């Protein structure tokens, strides 16, 4: 049972505070903020205790979402509840940020009132909650030129308009204006998180994919949806299906509401999606990736005359040409903790739109690459002055950590064959299928 | 700027709330109310507006109503007389035709925490229990618990309790779970809600209808049910089986906990359940939510003490990634150490080696300590890595490596030569006191194998004036005297200077007394001091750090899926509730033992070597057949600290204890020797300063604790 729930901004402003059981005073909010900001770096902040009151919090979107309790409860329940709360705020308010919470605090109070009674979780399902919530969400959409891109000359359909605008899925699910915009949309996202460690000898040491299929539904009335996955999808180490290159995953689990009667034979998931976002299927694949990891690095680290460190990085993108263009590509080269570089960095990058800077506080050279098409090869030469450079410390340079997003690409090869709504929706409805590979951690040792 | 000029703001809001033209405009009225609630959230006291807000609650606007209820529930304890004015509106709403309005009003009426409210809410709550809308029944059921909580001294109404038990059969699953929750709170004094056989089976059969929150709560309530026989037990386990791999982590872990509890007598079933719940736990260890990830890792860390082999194949899942926060990486390193086996040791060490140069010093040191712990089993591989780390000449790394060396030498004597060679070629200086202590200890204990030992110690002695830590000074005194025993010619001169400084100029009494003690010992002659200080420098049978025995599942199962595991303290706190307190009468009642000030293993060892035996004798009491950890926890309750003990099955078995009593320090060794009969315990005690009375009291306390423990375990 939960005693209080509160949401704080990163600066400690009280955005939401609701007491369910009257067991503690409201000044514990400030106690919490004091504790969480004073915590040493290696101490886990998730659970903190003050005079018999336990604080459990999750940190999302720069906000602290905190639940307090006096009982020795299940940590998983509380953390999952807080995560669900943030997901619901995202669904109802469009996004989770200090601003959206400030603007929609009445709605969030209304939501909390229905979700918890006397500290016991009553319901968190969007289908039930939407009957009770009457406040309308206020969303602030900053004017952006990018939104205009999809509008062609004289209203003609352009090629780009076939791609869902990135902001389309970040709007409140219940909005009276939504109907005017004619958005009976459903988004099905296949999102994969890639964790890769490549050793200094170029051997793949660890590869791990955590994937999920998310459905975000704006359809007001729910109908059955059938999601067809690759028919040759095989699950587990031994099972093999189909003749060509099979798509394989190790383990998977499904949302409670998914019906699997056609999954075994046709790989079809059936679900009645409720409004808002939900994860329909989660899966993982460990160790053997179906294809080589997307980026390879050929580093050379040398000691120039005296105290100058020379780092030459050659990077190759092994994705098929033109098919995928990674976005938000950043490479972080960690200089070992033992080097104490001066602030000057001289650099030679392979094209002028790239940039690099040295961050002496965390001893990282950050190399930003705006465009990195498939099959291309980029290089960079960094020269850093490091007083007191020794031969042993040369070996400690690295690792290189890359962060990127690959739209329209899944590393497992999992695809959505079709997406059918039955019975067919009245009026225009749009179905979007999106693929995204996100680098959770892509580390290359030098 | 709500905090500045808040008086003005309040006045302005008061005016606005009572302005008829605003009251007539629904949107404007609601906006003023919104402003009040916003100020309330920010922590401003807006209770002076209570009167106006009560009036505003008569609105038909649902949104406004909800906001006002929130306001009233917050301030009702401050303004009980004014809150009574709102009761009428609320009671009227409780009879509304719309179930949503009825439920809302009833819920908030029960939330008004103020004296005297019960007489008004009793009737609506009882009516709500029989409402035809499940929404209202849900609220009414919890309302019963709230009512009870408002007047804890009042007698529990048997009729209400019966009605709630009856409502367990309500068609709405949330009403059912709420009944359990409400009964649990109301009957707290009698041990909570009773789960008998029909109720247990009813709950189990309805588990599928519940959402994940209801499931995990119900599973927790089922923990107190005891199946009648094996057949029933396995029926229940069959029903639960599917939930073990639920995609909701909370349900999967709650099911696992119930499995472990029910199958306590069937270790094979427990092991099977643990291996099947691995999937959800591992999935949570890789969850996108770092808080969930941390909670799952803490649970896995605890599981590993019993079933390390099950997870060994998945060791790569516990490699750290660059983006993770420090506390998750520390937890993962702990787990990796437990997972090491012959097959993966090379890869795990390679991975840990990469963390040793992390930018965060705490993480780098933790990685080095982790390598040290693996070194207790794979000493050669680890020594190579540790020695190479010294070549980096980084202060924090060198300090951590030296601390690891000290532990390794103590536990694995075969490492001594390699460690001494590495220490001998150490060039740079160490700044932190932990590292200094480790280095000085090594130089003192193994100075005969390190050629440069006297010169390094001399440097420390020469810079003694600048030294701030008295622990380092104490360590330096012991080490110098020890080194003097093995290499007198090189050490005599500087030892004289050290003792002179410590006796004449030192401000810290502890250091001064220690120096005086050594001085008088030296006066007694070299042979005496050799006998006292020249004890063993290694003892592999001591399990201070290496407590690698497999714990039974039951030692942690009761705390699985609770906050306890996230706090990550030892098993001491968990056992505290289970052990009977020692009888307070008896000969030792006048004696008060205390654990403070705490004694470190090193200083215990020093004291043990320095002191003479004050008492040796057998202890006549049956040997408690329990784990050493349980013994440790039990003795801690009676203020005796077990500092070290041998592995559980080894014979002779030894444990070292200490305690403080009436200003004396008592050190004791308990020896269990099979040659004298399995239950024979030999107690050797040393005390400073001597006090026979205290010593007798200590023996009595120890004996009664052991007796209580053997009763408890038999």
């Amino acid at each position: 049972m939960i005693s209080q729930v509160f949401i704080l901004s990163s600066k400690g402003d009280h955005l939401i505070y609701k007491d369910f059981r009257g067991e503690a005073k409201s000044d514990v909010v400030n106690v919490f903020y004091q504790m969480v900001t004073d915590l040493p770096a290696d101490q886990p902040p998730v659970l903190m205790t003050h005079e018999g009151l336990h604080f459990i919090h999750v940190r999302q979107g720069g906000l602290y979402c905190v639940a307090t309790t006096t009982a020795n409860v299940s940590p998983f329940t509380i953390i999952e509840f807080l995560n669900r709360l943030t997901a619901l705020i995202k669904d109802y308010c469009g996004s989770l940020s200090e601003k959206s919470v400030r603007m929609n605090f009445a709605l969030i109070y209304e939501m909390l009132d229905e979700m918890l009674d006397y500290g016991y979780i009553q319901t968190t399902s969007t289908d039930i909650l939407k009957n009770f919530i009457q406040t309308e969400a206020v969303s602030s959409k900053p004017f952006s030129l990018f939104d205009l891109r999809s509008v062609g000359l004289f209203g003609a359909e352009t090629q780009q308009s076939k791609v869902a605008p990135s902001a389309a899925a970040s709007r409140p699910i219940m909005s009276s204006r939504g109907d005017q915009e004619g958005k009976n949309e459903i988004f099905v996202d296949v999102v994969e998180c890639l964790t890769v460690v490549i050793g200094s000898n170029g051997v793949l040491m660890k590869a791990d994919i955590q994937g999920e299929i998310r459905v975000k539904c704006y359809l007001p009335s729910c109908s059955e949806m059938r999601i067809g996955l690759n028919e040759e999808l095989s699950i587990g180490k031994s099972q093999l299906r189909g003749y060509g290159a099979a798509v394989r995953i190790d383990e998977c689990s499904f949302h409670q509401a998914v019906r699997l009667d056609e999954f075994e034979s046709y790989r079809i998931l059936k679900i009645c999606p409720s409004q808002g976002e939900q994860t329909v299927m989660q899966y993982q694949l460990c160790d053997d990736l179906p294809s080589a990891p997307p980026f390879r690095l050929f580093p050379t680290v040398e000691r120039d005359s005296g105290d100058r460190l020379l780092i030459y990085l050659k990077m190759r993108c092994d994705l098929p040409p033109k098919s995928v263009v990674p976005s938000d590509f950043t490479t972080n080269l960690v200089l070992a903790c033992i080097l104490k570089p001066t602030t000057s960095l001289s650099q030679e990058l392979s094209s002028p739109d790239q940039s690099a800077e040295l961050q002496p506080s965390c001893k990282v050279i950050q190399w930003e690459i705006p465009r990195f098409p498939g099959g291309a090869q980029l290089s960079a030469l960094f020269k850093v002055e490091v007083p007191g450079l020794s031969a042993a410390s040369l070996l400690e340079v690295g690792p290189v950590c890359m962060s990127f997003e690959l739209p329209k690409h899944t590393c497992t090869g999992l695809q959505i064959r079709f997406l059918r709504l039955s019975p067919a929706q009245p009026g225009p409805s749009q179905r979007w299928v999106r693929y995204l590979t996100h680098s959770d951690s892509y580390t290359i040792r030098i | 700027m709500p905090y500045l000029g808040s008086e003005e703001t309040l006045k302005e809001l008061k005016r606005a709330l009572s302005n008829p033209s605003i009251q007539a405009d629904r949107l404007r009225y609601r906006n003023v109310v919104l402003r009040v609630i916003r100020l309330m959230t920010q922590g401003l006291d807006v209770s002076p507006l209570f009167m106006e807000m009560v009036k505003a609650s008569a609105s038909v606007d649902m949104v406004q109503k909800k906001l006002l209820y929130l306001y009233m529930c917050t301030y009702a304890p401050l303004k009980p007389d004014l809150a009574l004015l709102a009761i009428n509106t609320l009671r009227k709403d409780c009879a509304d035709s719309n179930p949503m309005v009825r439920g809302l009003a009833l819920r908030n009426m029960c939330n008004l925490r103020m004296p005297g409210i019960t007489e008004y809410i009793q009737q609506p709550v009882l009516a709500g229990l029989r409402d035809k809308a499940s929404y209202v029944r849900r609220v009414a059921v919890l309302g019963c618990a709230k009512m009870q909580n408002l007047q804890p001294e009042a007698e529990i109404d048997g009729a209400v309790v019966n009605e709630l038990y009856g409502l367990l059969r309500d068609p709405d699953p949330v009403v059912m779970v709420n009944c359990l929750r409400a009964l649990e709170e109301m009957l707290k004094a009698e041990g909570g809600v009773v789960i008998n056989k029909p109720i247990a089976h009813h709950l189990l059969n309805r588990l599928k209808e519940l959402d994940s929150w209801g499931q995990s709560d119900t599973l927790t309530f089922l923990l107190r049910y005891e199946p009648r026989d094996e057949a029933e037990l396995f029926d229940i386990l069959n029903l639960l089986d599917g939930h073990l791999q639920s995609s909701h982590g909370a349900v999967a872990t709650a099911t696992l906990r119930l499995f472990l509890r029910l199958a306590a007598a069937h270790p094979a079933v427990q092991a099977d359940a643990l291996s099947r719940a691995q999937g959800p736990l591992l999935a949570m260890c890789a969850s996108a939510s770092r808080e969930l990830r941390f909670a799952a890792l803490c649970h896995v860390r605890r599981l590993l003490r019993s079933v390390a082999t099950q997870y060994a194949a998945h060791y790569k899942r516990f490699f750290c990634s660059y983006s993770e926060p420090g506390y998750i990486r520390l937890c993962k390193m702990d787990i990796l150490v437990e997972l090491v086996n012959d097959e993966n040791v090379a890869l795990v060490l390679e991975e840990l080696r990469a963390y040793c140069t992390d930018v965060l010093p705490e993480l780098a040191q933790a990685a080095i300590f982790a390598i040290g712990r693996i070194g207790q089993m794979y000493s050669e591989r680890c020594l190579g890595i540790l020695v190479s780390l010294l070549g980096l000449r980084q202060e924090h790394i060198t300090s951590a490596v030296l601390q690891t060396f000290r532990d390794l030498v103590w536990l694995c004597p075969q490492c001594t030569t390699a460690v001494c060679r590495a220490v001998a070629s150490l060039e740079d200086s160490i700044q932190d006191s932990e590292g200094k202590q480790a280095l000085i200890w090594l130089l003192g204990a193994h100075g005969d194998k390190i050629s440069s030992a006297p010169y390094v110690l001399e440097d420390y002695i020469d810079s003694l004036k600048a030294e701030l830590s008295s622990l380092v000074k104490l360590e330096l005194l012991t080490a110098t005297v020890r080194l003097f025993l093995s290499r007198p010619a090189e050490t005599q001169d500087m030892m004289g200077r050290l003792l002179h400084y410590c006796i004449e100029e030192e401000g810290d009494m502890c250091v001064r007394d220690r120096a005086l003690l050594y001085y008088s010992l030296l006066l007694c002659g070299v042979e005496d001091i050799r006998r006292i200080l020249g004890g063993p420098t290694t003892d592999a049978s001591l399990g201070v750090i290496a407590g690698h025995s497999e714990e039974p599942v039951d030692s942690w199962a009761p705390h699985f899926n609770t906050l306890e595991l996230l706090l990550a303290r030892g098993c001491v706190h968990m056992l505290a509730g289970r052990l009977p307190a020692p009888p307070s009468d008896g000969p030792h009642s006048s004696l008060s033992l205390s654990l403070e000030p705490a004694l470190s293993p090193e200083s215990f060892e020093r004291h043990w070597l320095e002191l003479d035996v004050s008492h040796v004798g057998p202890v006549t009491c049956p040997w408690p057949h329990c784990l050493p950890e349980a013994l440790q926890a039990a003795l801690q309750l009676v203020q005796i600290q077990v500092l070290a003990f041998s592995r559980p099955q080894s014979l002779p078995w030894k444990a070292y204890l200490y305690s403080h009593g009436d200003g004396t320090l008592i050190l004791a060794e308990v020896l269990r020797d099979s040659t004298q009969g399995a239950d024979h315990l030999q107690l050797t005690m040393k005390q400073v300063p001597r006090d026979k009375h205290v010593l007798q009291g200590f023996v009595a306390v120890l004996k009664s604790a052991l007796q209580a423990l053997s009763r408890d375990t038999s």
Side-chain angles (χ1 to χ4, degrees), chain B residues 86-393:
Chain B
I87 294 275
N88 266 335
T89 326
L90 284 164
R91 283 183 69 133
K92 205 173 81 214
D93 280 351
C94 282
D96 197 277
S97 60
N98 183 349
M100 221 197 291
V101 178
R102 286 204 300 275
L104 183 69
L106 188 59
R107 183 167 58 223
N108 285 293
M109 207 150 84
C110 298
N111 280 346
L112 294 173
R113 282 182 285 271
M114 57 188 210
I117 185 81
T118 17
E119 54 178 303
Y120 299 99
I121 57 176
Q122 193 152 27
Q123 190 270 326
V125 166
L126 291 179
L129 288 177
R130 296 188 197 106
D131 200 287
K132 58 185 184 300
S134 61
Y135 182 67
V136 184
R137 289 201 301 276
R138 291 176 188 180
V139 172
V141 167
L142 286 179
C144 295
K146 294 180 196 169
M147 218 155 61
Q148 180 69 36
N149 191 26
L150 282 174
Q151 33 177 199
E153 67 285 351
E155 208 169 294
I156 301 164
D157 186 353
V160 175
V161 171
N162 282 340
E163 184 135 13
L164 288 180
Y165 271 118
L167 276 175
L168 285 175
R169 307 208 172 272
D170 194 277
D172 184 70
V174 181
V175 174
M176 182 187 86
V177 184
N178 278 356
C179 278
L180 289 173
R181 294 159 171 167
L183 283 168
E184 175 74 11
E185 296 220 359
M186 292 169 71
L187 305 175
K188 203 183 271 164
E190 302 164 24
V193 55
V194 177
I195 308 279
N196 58 19
K197 188 173 174 184
I199 293 180
H201 285 259
H202 173 71
L203 294 178
L204 283 165
N205 287 325
R206 293 193 63 181
L207 214 49
K208 281 207 173 66
E209 299 167 36
L210 298 169
D211 63 357
S212 62
W213 318 111
Q215 282 177 350
S216 65
D217 270 12
T218 310
L219 288 165
T220 312
F221 282 117
L222 281 169
L223 281 173
R224 66 179 61 157
Y225 178 63
E226 198 76 51
R228 300 267 169 81
D229 50 38
E230 296 248 309
E232 191 192 350
L233 168 72
F234 284 102
D235 276 351
I236 293 176
L237 295 185
N238 276 335
L239 279 172
L240 289 174
D241 202 62
H243 297 290
L244 211 48
Q245 279 166 319
S246 162
S247 60
H248 289 276
V251 179
T253 45
T255 317
L256 179 58
R257 186 180 175 197
L258 184 56
F259 250 84
L260 296 177
R261 158 81 186 71
L262 289 175
H266 303 270
V269 179
Q270 279 185 332
D272 183 54
L274 280 169
S275 78
R276 273 182 315 132
Q278 212 178 38
L281 270 174
L282 281 173
M284 281 196 287
C285 287
S287 155
S289 152
R290 52 166 75 159
E291 291 82 12
L292 200 59
R293 209 186 279 197
F294 173 70
L297 286 170
C298 285
H299 278 72
V300 169
R301 181 167 64 183
R302 195 70 206 172
L303 278 181
L304 287 179
R305 301 222 191 143
S306 305
V307 287
T309 44
Q310 274 184 8
Y311 283 82
H314 299 285
Y315 68 98
K316 281 191 182 174
R317 304 267 186 108
F318 302 102
F319 283 3
C320 305
S321 74
Y322 177 66
S323 52
E324 281 171 331
Y327 60 91
I328 288 190
R329 287 199 260 175
L330 289 176
C331 207
K332 282 188 165 177
M333 284 187 221
D334 271 355
I335 292 176
L336 278 176
V337 171
E338 298 287 329
L339 291 182
V340 164
N341 60 24
D342 290 350
E343 282 151 37
N344 60 28
V345 62
L347 275 171
V348 169
L349 282 177
E350 191 177 332
E351 189 71 19
L352 285 172
R353 169 71 180 82
Y355 308 152
C356 290
T357 48
D358 197 281
V359 178
L360 281 179
E362 296 92 4
L363 288 177
Q365 292 199 328
I368 294 167
F369 294 142
I371 293 179
R373 276 159 68 196
I374 295 176
Q376 289 163 19
M377 282 178 290
Y378 301 93
S379 46
E380 237 161 83
R381 290 167 188 268
C382 296
L383 270 179
I385 295 178
L386 291 170
V387 170
S388 78
L389 283 172
L390 287 178
L392 298 177
R393 312 194 52 184

Side-chain angles (χ1 to χ4, degrees), chain A residues 142-399:
Chain A
F143 174 76
S144 160
L145 274 177
F146 293 106
D147 289 344
L148 295 179
R149 269 200 315 202
S150 57
V151 183
L153 200 56
F154 310 116
E157 286 241 322
T158 59
Q159 189 63 33
Q160 276 167 323
S161 70
K162 294 230 171 88
V163 180
S166 60
S170 59
R171 60 185 170 91
I173 47 168
M174 294 204 313
S175 157
S176 54
R177 285 172 300 148
D179 297 327
Q180 302 161 17
E181 288 168 22
K183 290 284 172 65
N184 267 341
E185 287 176 315
I186 190 153
F187 294 85
V188 177
D189 296 344
V190 183
V191 183
E192 294 188 345
C193 279
L194 189 62
T195 307
V196 168
V197 179
I198 299 176
S200 49
N201 48 2
V203 177
L204 189 64
M205 288 176 67
K206 176 193 171 180
D208 195 349
I209 298 171
Q210 300 285 333
E212 56 185 31
I213 301 180
R214 281 186 219 149
V215 173
K216 181 142 191 178
C217 175
Y218 289 101
L219 303 173
S221 63
C222 104
S223 58
E224 190 187 65
M225 179 168 71
R226 289 152 59 88
I227 305 173
L229 307 179
N230 317 37
E231 266 191 280
E232 63 271 23
L233 174 71
S234 55
I235 297 161
K237 297 253 186 253
S238 52
Q239 195 186 24
L240 270 180
R241 285 167 82 110
Y243 300 99
V247 176
R248 202 179 64 76
I249 55 178
D250 282 343
E251 272 171 39
C252 58
S253 63
F254 302 93
H255 190 273
Q256 265 184 325
V258 178
R259 272 171 300 130
L260 298 169
D261 42 331
E262 288 183 58
F263 185 73
E264 207 38 57
S265 38
Y266 304 109
R267 296 298 188 220
I268 293 174
L269 306 172
K270 292 201 281 192
I271 185 171
C272 294
S274 47
Q275 275 191 325
E277 188 172 284
Q278 55 221 293
T279 300
V280 175
M281 172 178 167
Q282 287 177 303
Y283 57 90
Q284 55 199 23
L285 174 65
C286 291
D287 284 345
D288 29 290
L289 297 185
S291 55
F295 299 99
R296 289 174 68 80
L297 182 80
F298 306 94
T300 327
V301 179
E302 274 172 25
R303 182 183 181 178
D304 202 9
S305 56
D307 284 342
R308 198 147 64 154
L309 187 67
L310 281 185
I311 306 165
Y312 182 65
L313 299 179
K314 198 163 75 176
M315 204 156 36
R316 196 175 73 207
C317 176
D318 282 342
L319 295 166
K322 284 188 186 167
S323 64
V324 187
V325 180
S327 56
D328 299 332
F329 198 100
T330 311
T331 303
N332 288 304
L333 169 67
V334 182
L335 297 169
C337 60
I338 52 173
L339 300 178
K340 294 181 183 59
T342 53
T343 46
S344 66
L345 170 77
S346 95
Q347 46 182 291
E348 289 167 33
L349 305 174
S350 54
S351 89
D353 53 351
Q354 300 164 14
S355 64
E357 68 176 320
L358 173 70
Q359 295 166 340
S361 58
C362 42
K363 298 179 181 172
V364 161
I365 298 178
Q366 200 172 49
W367 178 21
E368 304 236 14
I369 303 162
R371 257 184 61 77
F372 196 175
Q377 192 158 302
L378 303 178
S379 64
L381 176 66
F382 299 110
K383 294 178 188 165
V384 197
E385 290 288 341
V386 184
L389 189 68
S390 73
S393 54
L394 217 55
L395 300 172
E396 300 302 319
V397 173

Side-chain angles (χ1 to χ4, degrees), chain A residues 15 21 59 72 74 80 83 109-110 114 117-118 120 122 124 132 134 205-206 338 396 440-441, chain B residues 41 62 66 107 135 146 149 178 185 213 247 249 289 291 316 321 323 327 353 357 394 561 563:
Chain A
L15 303 179
R21 295 177 62 89
R59 195 132 197 235
N72 194 6
S74 155
E80 280 189 347
N83 282 334
Y109 274 129
E110 215 181 338
E114 298 298 337
D117 189 7
Y118 205 37
Y120 294 109
Q122 300 294 300
T124 57
F132 294 101
Q134 309 203 335
M205 288 176 67
K206 176 193 171 180
I338 52 173
E396 300 302 319
D440 186 36
S441 157
Chain B
T41 306
M62 275 293 272
K66 288 184 183 177
R107 183 167 58 223
Y135 182 67
K146 294 180 196 169
N149 191 26
N178 278 356
E185 296 220 359
W213 318 111
S247 60
S289 152
E291 291 82 12
K316 281 191 182 174
S321 74
S323 52
Y327 60 91
R353 169 71 180 82
T357 48
Q394 286 300 299
N561 196 23
L563 296 179

